[in-house]
Amino acid sequence: MELNTRAVHAGREDLTELGLHAVPIDLSTTYPSRDSHEEASRLERAASGEDLGGSPIYGRVGNPTVARFERALADLEGAESAVAFATGMAALSACLLAVAAQGKRHIVAVRPLYGTSDHLLGSGLLGTDVTWSTAEDVKLHLRDETGLVIVESPANPTLSEVDIRAIDVDVPVLVDNTFATPVLQRPIELGANIVLHSATKYLGGHGDVLGGVVACDEEFARRLRTIRMATGGILHPLAGYLLLRGLSTLPIRITRAAETAAELARRLESHPGVSKVYRPEIGGPMVSFDVVGDPHAVIAAVRLVTPAVSLGSVDTLIQHPGSLSHHIVAEDDRRGAGISDRLLRMSVGLEDVEDLWADLDQALS
Ligand SMILES: *Cc1c(COP(=O)(O)O)cnc(C)c1O
């Protein structure tokens, strides 16, 4: 079936059999059983990363509501499995720990990345070591102990794109697909192995839920579940519910916001207060632009557009990456990644284009 249909129905296949319409939210922290022999063997299977389904023994091991979201997202990304985490950063941390646990502590990554992802890799907080590369040169930096190649496309905040197909290496390629969503880009179809989302953004879509998810093959998913069980970064069931609900409107939200973003980008191109507009070739609801004047003044002047970090909500959000999303990246590295101090990043929402333009125009003037 087509993506629009799967977005509405994936993860909900059994609801009619259950006599339910809305997805049940299972808030259990523990799951009773009178058979402790059976529980012991199930716990061993869980510790080796198996998805137990049904009754997951304990809430840190798995959750039926979260599992529905995982099935749906795996389906939309064309992946065998998906594993959900409390945040996007918890998801990225689990990926790094999973490769480091196998002695593969070296990562090759392409800038720009989301500011905190850049920081996590650059600081070596999890004991990994990064080599920054261009997308074209990734192969040149691979070593025996390289565990992952990490790219973001379109990248945060410049919306620069990587030719995912062209990264033809023997090391697993992780694509942060947060900005594209499976509506615009399915990296596994393009040859990537691991797809990461900050589900906090478009998948949730309403600015009211934190989450992260990794879509991958079942072998890597097992490693991630082992890490998740031991380190405790699982998604909350209520968040699982909200994210699954978010998926059902994802295609329509992305398509509509992308149309508005394209029109705003067109108008920004010829605005005297704007010196450069950044748009990804695949389209989508993100627009970044360099302003001629003081970017802080624009942030202070918007009235309809929400001046806030994050993205992917139903309302339009604008932020100054140099102050917020990429403030944690050293100034030189930021400039090297093409992030100018006059850059503003805007996540276009579902408001009427004329109302948005009126607000942007007055803020820029
Ligand atoms: C926000 C974001 C993250 C981090 O996700 P959290 O849910 O905030 O932890 C990672 N990658 C990208 C591209 C992001 O925009």
Side-chain angles (χ1 to χ4, degrees), residues 87-89 114 117 152 156 176 178-179 198 200-201 211 311:
T87 66
M89 292 318 301
Y114 174 66
S117 305
E152 213 172 279
N156 193 346
D176 186 327
T178 299
F179 276 37
S198 169
T200 312
K201 315 295 170 50
L311 58 127

Side-chain angles (χ1 to χ4, degrees), residues 90-363:
L92 180 59
S93 298
C95 293
L96 296 179
L97 291 171
V99 296
Q102 299 202 323
K104 305 267 187 183
R105 300 188 165 276
H106 179 243
I107 312 291
V108 177
V110 176
R111 275 182 168 141
L113 295 177
Y114 174 66
T116 311
S117 305
D118 187 304
H119 172 66
L120 182 63
L121 290 168
S123 64
L125 267 175
L126 294 178
T128 57
D129 175 26
V130 69
T131 301
W132 299 108
S133 172
T134 61
E136 294 71 29
D137 286 349
V138 160
K139 228 176 197 155
L140 305 178
H141 301 293
L142 299 182
R143 307 178 195 156
D144 289 344
E145 68 277 16
T146 307
L148 280 177
V149 170
I150 301 184
V151 304
E152 213 172 279
S153 186
N156 193 346
T158 58
L159 312 180
S160 61
E161 287 167 285
V162 169
D163 183 353
I164 295 167
R165 257 185 235 278
I167 307 182
D168 181 20
V169 292
D170 288 336
V171 172
V173 175
L174 182 154
V175 176
D176 186 327
N177 204 33
T178 299
F179 276 37
T181 83
V183 176
L184 298 175
Q185 171 175 275
R186 288 171 298 281
I188 288 173
E189 291 173 5
L190 303 174
N193 309 91
I194 302 164
V195 179
L196 184 137
H197 283 275
S198 169
T200 312
K201 315 295 170 50
Y202 289 105
L203 305 189
H206 295 72
D208 56 5
V209 55
L210 286 168
V213 64
V214 181
C216 54
D217 64 20
E218 175 59 16
E219 196 270 324
F220 195 70
R222 280 175 173 252
R223 287 156 64 188
L224 291 176
R225 289 189 205 105
T226 303
I227 300 277
R228 188 179 67 176
M229 181 176 163
T231 59
I234 194 170
L235 185 73
H236 191 272
L238 188 56
Y241 173 87
L242 288 170
L243 292 174
L244 186 62
R245 189 165 80 160
L247 288 185
S248 58
T249 54
L250 181 68
I252 201 165
R253 283 186 284 109
I254 293 287
T255 307
R256 174 61 197 273
E259 285 167 15
T260 309
E263 177 59 21
L264 293 176
R266 199 182 62 72
R267 296 187 191 185
L268 286 168
E269 291 275 2
S270 54
H271 196 286
V274 173
S275 59
K276 184 171 177 186
V277 177
Y278 305 77
R279 279 283 286 165
E281 266 173 41
I282 59 166
M286 297 298 298
V287 185
S288 295
F289 51 97
D290 289 331
V291 292
V292 175
D294 178 5
H296 304 283
V298 178
I299 297 292
V302 288
R303 287 295 174 269
L304 175 66
V305 173
T306 309
V309 75
S310 196
L311 58 127
S313 187
V314 285
D315 58 324
T316 298
L317 302 168
I318 197 165
Q319 63 111 12
H320 178 234
S323 303
L324 289 170
S325 66
H326 291 71
H327 190 67
I328 200 165
V329 180
E331 211 168 313
D332 285 351
D333 293 335
R334 216 157 59 213
R335 296 228 175 90
I339 306 165
S340 112
D341 288 343
R342 291 180 185 271
L343 182 76
L344 293 176
R345 189 196 74 190
M346 183 165 70
S347 156
V348 176
L350 301 178
E351 302 93 333
D352 190 272
V353 65
E354 297 305 334
D355 292 328
L356 288 173
W357 180 247
D359 190 37
L360 283 174
D361 186 30
Q362 68 78 24

